[in-house]
Structures are given as structure tokens and as C-alpha cells.
Amino acid sequence: MARKADPARRREVLDAVIEQLAHTGISGFTLRGLAQGLGQSTRVLTHHFADREDLLSAVLARLDELQHRSLLATRGWEDPAVPVSDIVREAWRRNLGDEELPMTRLIREIEGLAAAGRLPAAGAGFVRGRAEFVASCLTLRGVPADRALTLATLLNSAFSGLETDYLVTGDRGRGETGLDLLCAWIDSMAPAR
């Protein structure tokens, strides 16, 4: 009889996988190559994940969870008196800092692969779930729910685009000038209360 997978160990393996993918990229990864990078056998991965697709879906779900947790921990997320721009600027600083930069690159890569149709359907949920999550921050500031989702979609897309531009060009000044405009816009759409 097969040994039942331990959920805590599964999360441990998943976090190690994400850390590895943040340094190697996600495009074209194999279970064998990933296991080698982790210093494990492929059995460790297949014990916790049925196949590559199952692992990829778990990676996307965990990244979504980690992003939400990070945003929730940002000062002011649940305080309507704090301008949304403060949260946006903190996310920018954190995402482009040395510690988070590999993860930010991984997330941008995932978005590109999802846009190219080279990820399973979970890739679309990854992006849509983020918009719904950010919309919840905007509704706390009095934005009606249907409008909040549209504004969150625009905010997320512009933010991702600015990060991508910086990652590709290295032009932080231009990116941060764009970020200033984005912050002024979102504060005009969802003013602090």
C-alpha cells in the first residue's frame, strides 16, 4: 500500500520547488531536472504530485497564496485611511528588492507563459484571483464591487507592466516615474477614507 502524503511535507517540497523555479525559471522544466536541482529523486516529487501538470497547478496556487499573504501583511491593506498608493509603493519596493527579485521574475514569466497559452487553465485563475483580491482592498475604500474589479485589473496590469519594463530595461527612474502616475491615478479612483 502506498504511503499517504503528509500535507506539511508536501508544502515543504512545494516551497522548495518554488524556490528552485525562482532561480531556474518555469519554462520547460521537467520533474527530473527539478528533482536534480533539489538534490532529490523524482520519487519525492511524484509522491506528492501526480504529474508535472499537478505540480504546476500546485505551484500557481501556492504562489497566489504567498502573494496574498504578503499583501495582507503590508501596512494599511485593511485600513481604509491608508492610501492605496502606499500599498502599491511598498509592493514595488518589496518585489524589486534583492530578496524577492527572483520570485518577481518567476511571476512575470508565469504571466507571459499564461498569455502565450502555454500554461494550464490554472494560469488564468492565478491572474484573475489576484484582481479579485486587490479589488477587496479597493472596496474597503468605498469603491463599488463591480468597479473595484475593473480598477484592480487595470492597477495590476499597469503595475506588472512597469515591473516588467524595469526588469527588461533596468531603467528604474522611468519605472518609478510611471509608478508615481499610477499611484496618483489609483488614489483618485479609490481615495483613502
Side-chain angles (χ1 to χ4, degrees):
M1 180 195 294
R3 190 174 53 133
K4 186 172 175 165
D6 172 20
R9 176 67 178 135
R10 183 180 197 267
R11 178 169 292 158
E12 217 175 83
V13 169
L14 184 57
D15 287 346
V17 164
I18 290 170
E19 187 68 29
Q20 178 70 16
L21 291 174
H23 294 287
T24 63
I26 201 165
S27 181
F29 82 89
T30 64
L31 291 180
R32 177 172 291 180
L34 193 53
Q36 282 179 327
L38 296 172
Q40 301 286 331
S41 75
T42 55
R43 274 189 263 165
V44 169
L45 296 177
T46 58
H47 176 71
H48 295 283
F49 308 98
D51 54 24
R52 183 180 187 275
E53 187 104 351
D54 183 40
L55 176 60
L56 187 54
S57 292
V59 163
L60 294 176
R62 181 71 171 146
L63 281 171
D64 202 35
E65 177 189 333
L66 293 171
Q67 281 189 306
H68 290 187
R69 185 182 306 154
S70 181
L71 282 170
L72 278 171
T74 303
R75 187 191 73 73
W77 179 266
E78 293 181 333
D79 181 356
V82 173
V84 176
S85 60
D86 288 4
I87 298 163
V88 171
R89 289 178 197 287
E90 175 58 23
W92 176 270
R93 186 200 59 71
R94 183 178 53 246
N95 291 357
L96 298 178
D98 291 340
E99 189 175 317
E100 288 293 319
L101 190 58
M103 197 66 66
T104 298
R105 289 182 188 281
L106 176 63
I107 290 167
R108 297 288 88 81
E109 181 185 4
I110 289 168
E111 290 169 346
L113 291 170
R118 295 185 12 224
L119 281 183
F126 178 71
V127 173
R128 180 161 180 83
R130 192 173 345 144
E132 291 166 350
F133 185 73
V134 170
S136 71
C137 178
L138 301 179
T139 59
L140 281 173
R141 285 148 179 88
V143 178
D146 59 333
R147 183 161 168 78
L149 185 59
T150 301
L151 293 177
T153 299
L154 185 53
L155 176 60
N156 287 346
S157 296
F159 185 85
S160 293
L162 289 168
E163 278 189 348
T164 299
D165 185 86
Y166 166 68
L167 292 172
V168 171
T169 67
D171 191 338
R172 186 178 285 268
R174 188 177 69 201
E176 290 182 352
T177 299
L179 186 71
D180 290 341
L181 292 172
L182 180 62
C183 286
W185 168 79
I186 196 57
D187 284 347
S188 74
M189 295 289 113
R193 301 175 97 185

